[in-house]
Amino acid sequence: MPKIGVIADDFTGATDIATAYASRGYRPVVLTDPAGQAGAGADVVVAALKSRTAPVEEAVAASVTAYDRLRAAGCERFVFKYCSTFDSTDRGNIGPVLDALADRTGARHVVVVPAFPANGRTVYLGHLFVGDQLLENSPMRHHPLTPMTRSRLAEILRPQTRYGVGEIHLTTVHSGRLAQAVADAAERYLVLDAITDDDLAAIAAATADDVLVSGGAGLALGAPTGGSDPAQAWQARPGRRLVVCGSASARTREQIAYATAHGHPALRLDVAGLAGRPGEVIRSTMDWFGEQDPGSVPVIYSVGDPGDVQSGPETAARTENALATIVATAVERGVTQCIVAGGETSGAVVGRLGVTALRIGSPISPGVCWAEGTTGTGDRVALALKSGNFGTPEMFATAWEALR
Ligand SMILES: Nc1ncnc2c1ncn2[C@@H]1O[C@H](COP(=O)(O)OP(=O)(O)OP(=O)(O)O)[C@@H](O)[C@H]1O
Ligand SMILES: O=C(O)[C@@H](O)C(=O)CO
């Protein structure tokens, strides 16, 4: 089977698709250092980028560099992994990155498949649904960086790309002649309907020879089985546990509320204070952490309800940096197992820890798994990088069971 290279536009998306490949019997590795070398022994190599909301030129350059490295490492088929809620703005970055990768690979057609039915993301008649709501009516409408105010994917993608965008609807996906429909299409990009895992399997079969496909982790869920043992190959180091949330998503807020209601010590980061006195805010947060029972699972978060989201150009970066420093300091003080909520936040945390590769471990829930990395100072740490809207409400209390 040809080695698969995945270019993921954020870190939680990278572990999301890696866990989907692992569940299909592949041996994925997630590379978190853009300059790092591709992992030996893996049949799926996922390059985790932090390009979703980066300036367009930076996102394109990082994606093309990742593609070149994956190709040099022997990958022959490529997946551009973006969010199952198609997180982007009119400028990008999905369209510009897709254009660059399509040009680089020479792909005549590239399918656009964000559907992930197990997490409620389905595409019907070209429209993306989140559960029973159109994307534009879902909580993604209020995302701090990529508010999604439309639902028809072709309309969202067109302003972002130089190439044509068409749609292939469910009747054709079910018809047994999807591969032909893709080959015959006039447009370079084709938004495909998918509402079940069987639809994803039909799409995977029809695109098995395509050099480039694009979408969410659902692309991997439809892949033919790889034949490897899915059992976790590593044991988590015992030590303290911590949950850190930089995500403002509705599901993360529910998880924080559940943990708080069930006796977990919880602290809201003083985001406003980070503007003038970041050192003091981080010190007092770490003092609070030090006061908690070492057997407890403290939760540090930056948004408890939507009103906590602060405007201002530097706020998001400042918050990511502060949470990254908090995790790195906590690891120095004995944390060995940590859940991080939010893709951008996860990118900042993993970068600060100096972790360059993640080995996939036990699944927690659709799209979320444990992964192990080694920090820049040589400590093994178990991380669950959780997409904002993924995981069950009780996850911050129960995810640790999957580590045993
Ligand atoms: N109180 C706050 N005010 C303003 N920005 C915040 C606040 N708290 C967090 N942020 C920023 O909001 C962004 C949230 O993005 P992140 O990707 O981490 O979460 P998410 O979008 O919910 O997750 P995902 O991308 O996995 O769906 C981060 O840049 C974070 O620093
Ligand atoms: O596809 C998804 O929804 C997630 O993997 C993600 O990318 C959220 O950041």
Side-chain angles (χ1 to χ4, degrees):
M1 215 175 308
K3 192 161 165 171
I4 299 169
V6 182
I7 296 133
D9 72 352
D10 83 344
F11 278 54
T12 48
T15 55
D16 175 16
I17 195 161
T19 192
Y21 275 116
S23 76
R24 301 293 295 164
Y26 291 75
R27 279 166 291 122
V29 65
V30 176
L31 300 179
T32 54
D33 175 4
Q37 292 306 308
D43 46 20
V44 179
V45 185
V46 184
L49 304 183
K50 200 167 177 301
S51 56
R52 184 172 294 173
T53 57
V56 175
E57 300 69 27
E58 275 176 34
V60 168
S63 306
V64 168
T65 303
Y67 165 79
D68 288 343
R69 289 218 164 86
L70 293 171
R71 184 153 203 111
C75 296
E76 293 172 57
R77 294 195 61 230
F78 298 88
V79 179
F80 172 32
K81 160 71 180 71
Y82 41 76
C83 193
S84 63
T85 44
F86 216 71
D87 298 13
S88 53
T89 67
D90 276 355
R91 297 204 59 217
N93 288 338
I94 294 177
V97 172
L98 210 40
D99 288 357
L101 294 176
D103 288 348
R104 200 81 165 181
T105 54
R108 217 159 64 80
H109 298 290
V110 185
V111 294
V112 172
V113 187
F116 190 166
N119 272 321
R121 276 65 157 156
T122 54
V123 179
Y124 183 61
L125 300 179
H127 290 69
L128 181 57
F129 289 81
V130 177
D132 60 2
Q133 293 176 311
L134 279 165
L135 176 64
E136 69 198 60
N137 298 327
S138 78
M140 288 308 295
R141 189 176 182 85
H142 304 293
H143 192 281
L145 302 171
T146 51
M148 301 306 290
T149 56
R150 282 171 297 179
S151 308
R152 191 162 194 165
L153 291 163
E155 280 172 11
I156 301 173
L157 186 54
R158 271 185 201 121
Q160 304 181 30
T161 169
R162 300 193 300 276
Y163 298 111
V165 185
E167 293 176 349
I168 294 184
H169 292 167
L170 205 55
T171 41
T172 308
V173 173
H174 288 169
S175 68
R177 43 175 195 83
L178 176 58
Q180 196 56 50
V182 170
D184 291 346
E187 300 87 359
R188 193 170 204 185
Y189 302 138
L190 298 163
V191 173
L192 301 193
D193 282 1
I195 59 173
T196 65
D197 284 355
D198 286 346
D199 301 336
L200 293 170
I203 290 169
T207 57
D209 295 328
D210 292 8
V211 64
L212 176 66
V213 294
S214 82
L219 284 167
L221 291 171
T225 49
S228 291
D229 178 2
Q232 173 171 300
W234 49 271
Q235 283 274 317
R237 246 181 355 120
R240 289 196 67 176
R241 294 170 167 171
L242 175 65
V243 179
V244 166
C245 308
S247 159
S249 297
R251 178 47 61 92
T252 302
R253 287 187 274 110
E254 239 183 291
Q255 289 160 333
I256 295 165
Y258 179 98
T260 311
H262 288 77
H264 289 258
L267 179 75
R268 183 159 66 80
L269 186 72
D270 177 5
V271 172
L274 289 174
R277 41 187 183 79
E280 193 184 316
V281 171
I282 290 167
R283 245 188 329 275
S284 68
T285 305
M286 292 317 301
D287 288 347
W288 173 86
F289 174 73
E291 287 157 13
Q292 305 313 309
D293 175 352
S296 68
V297 180
V299 179
I300 298 170
Y301 62 94
S302 60
V303 179
D305 69 57
D308 295 339
V309 175
Q310 311 245 331
S311 54
E314 299 299 325
T315 313
R318 249 193 315 260
T319 307
E320 286 172 28
N321 272 329
L323 292 173
T325 305
I326 287 165
V327 174
T329 313
V331 166
E332 281 166 18
R333 297 185 189 173
V335 166
T336 58
Q337 303 168 10
C338 182
I339 298 173
V340 185
E344 300 295 328
T345 307
S346 294
V349 166
V350 170
R352 185 66 56 83
L353 287 173
V355 167
T356 58
L358 289 167
R359 287 204 291 163
I360 297 304
S362 311
I364 298 170
S365 56
V368 194
C369 65
W370 283 106
E372 187 199 51
T374 303
T375 66
T377 50
D379 298 315
R380 284 195 302 119
V381 57
L383 296 168
L385 307 181
K386 186 201 82 75
S387 293
N389 279 311
F390 284 4
T392 59
E394 64 280 7
M395 178 190 154
F396 295 166
T398 58
W400 317 95
E401 288 159 19
L403 270 180
R404 296 210 183 100

